[in-house]
């Protein structure tokens, strides 16, 4: 009897590891077109929280969003989920610098990120909603799609982690 449970546990653990590897590979394939874009790479020079760059933060938010959707079997548009998450903080400035245009960053950066993203990429309505509404409830517009809610939640989690720990909650 013991042998059965031991084997079942280790098979389950091995299957879980395979699933994580498959999920990670799928995630990498989905993010590549965006993270290889030269304009998106510029996000790496701006700090978001702690010592985490905007690019690192957005990759972490995208992964946590993807992981949550997969883990909880939430059927959604995974490509839009990841693209929206990767571009949700595409505002392209250092909000830590003393500048009146950055004074209310928390309230206004989503609109700036959306303007930049729509200028540089072809976005669908889900991706635009994710970018525009990710600061709910600070921005009072409710997200319209489940993908937007997932990214909003993942963004709060990653921001909290990065602020407390000073590093991204997920990296390659």
């Amino acid at each position: 009897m013991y042998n059965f449970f031991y084997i079942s546990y280790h098979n389950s653990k091995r299957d879980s590891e395979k699933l994580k590897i498959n999920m990670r590979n799928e995630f990498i394939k989905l993010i590549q077109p965006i993270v290889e874009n030269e304009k998106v790479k510029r996000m790496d020079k701006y700090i978001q929280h702690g010592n985490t760059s905007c690019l690192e933060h957005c990759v972490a938010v995208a992964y946590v969003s993807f992981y949550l959707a997969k883990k909880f079997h939430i059927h959604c548009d995974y490509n839009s989920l990841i693209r929206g998450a990767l571009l949700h903080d595409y505002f392209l400035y250092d909000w830590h610098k003393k500048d009146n245009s950055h004074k209310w960053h928390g309230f206004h950066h989503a609109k700036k990120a959306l303007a930049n993203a729509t200028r540089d990429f072809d976005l669908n309505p889900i991706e635009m909603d994710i970018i525009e509404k990710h600061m709910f409830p600070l921005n009072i517009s409710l997200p319209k799609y489940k993908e937007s809610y997932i990214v909003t939640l993942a963004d709060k989690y990653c921001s909290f982690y990065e602020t407390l720990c000073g590093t991204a909650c997920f990296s390659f």
Side-chain angles (χ1 to χ4, degrees):
M1 187 66 133
Y2 165 77
N3 198 22
F4 169 76
F5 289 115
Y6 179 80
I7 291 169
S8 293
Y9 169 75
H10 285 285
N11 285 344
S12 172
K13 194 172 180 181
R14 187 178 63 234
D15 291 346
S16 177
E17 288 304 313
K18 276 188 205 174
L19 185 64
K20 283 181 187 174
I21 290 167
N22 289 341
M23 192 182 332
R24 184 183 163 122
N25 290 341
E26 182 182 357
F27 175 74
I28 290 168
K29 194 164 62 172
L30 289 169
I31 68 166
Q32 252 175 336
I34 298 281
V35 296
E36 289 178 355
N37 179 288
E38 289 304 315
K39 290 180 180 178
V40 170
K41 287 179 183 178
R42 291 189 322 200
M43 292 169 58
D44 209 27
K45 68 181 182 178
Y46 303 112
I47 294 296
Q48 180 64 325
H49 309 110
N51 295 316
T52 306
S53 75
C54 281
L55 183 58
E56 291 170 320
H57 168 73
C58 288
V59 169
V61 170
Y63 184 77
V64 170
S65 298
F66 184 67
Y67 178 83
L68 289 172
K70 290 283 191 172
K71 176 81 174 165
F72 293 108
H73 307 286
I74 301 169
H75 299 290
C76 65
D77 181 344
Y78 296 117
N79 195 49
S80 293
L81 175 81
I82 288 172
R83 282 174 49 94
L86 287 171
L87 296 170
H88 82 276
D89 279 340
Y90 189 60
F91 46 81
L92 304 174
Y93 60 82
D94 184 356
W95 65 272
H96 300 91
K97 286 187 177 175
K98 298 288 184 211
D99 181 330
N100 279 341
S101 66
H102 308 157
K103 192 173 185 177
W104 297 101
H105 171 79
F107 291 94
H108 301 293
H109 79 273
K111 293 224 183 287
K112 181 67 173 170
L114 181 60
N116 290 343
T118 54
R119 179 193 66 216
D120 296 340
F121 298 93
D122 290 326
L123 302 176
N124 66 37
I126 295 172
E127 295 160 352
M128 290 189 287
D129 193 67
I130 289 168
I131 297 165
E132 184 178 18
K133 314 266 181 73
H134 79 273
M135 286 303 292
F136 178 80
L138 195 56
N139 293 347
I140 57 173
S141 297
L142 279 170
K144 184 175 181 180
Y145 302 98
K146 58 186 160 187
E147 293 87 350
S148 304
Y149 280 100
I150 295 167
V151 171
T152 298
L153 177 65
D155 183 45
K156 304 302 176 268
Y157 170 79
C158 291
S159 298
F160 179 77
Y161 183 92
E162 292 159 4
T163 301
L164 254 52
C165 301
T167 185
C169 62
F170 172 83
S171 63
F172 291 102

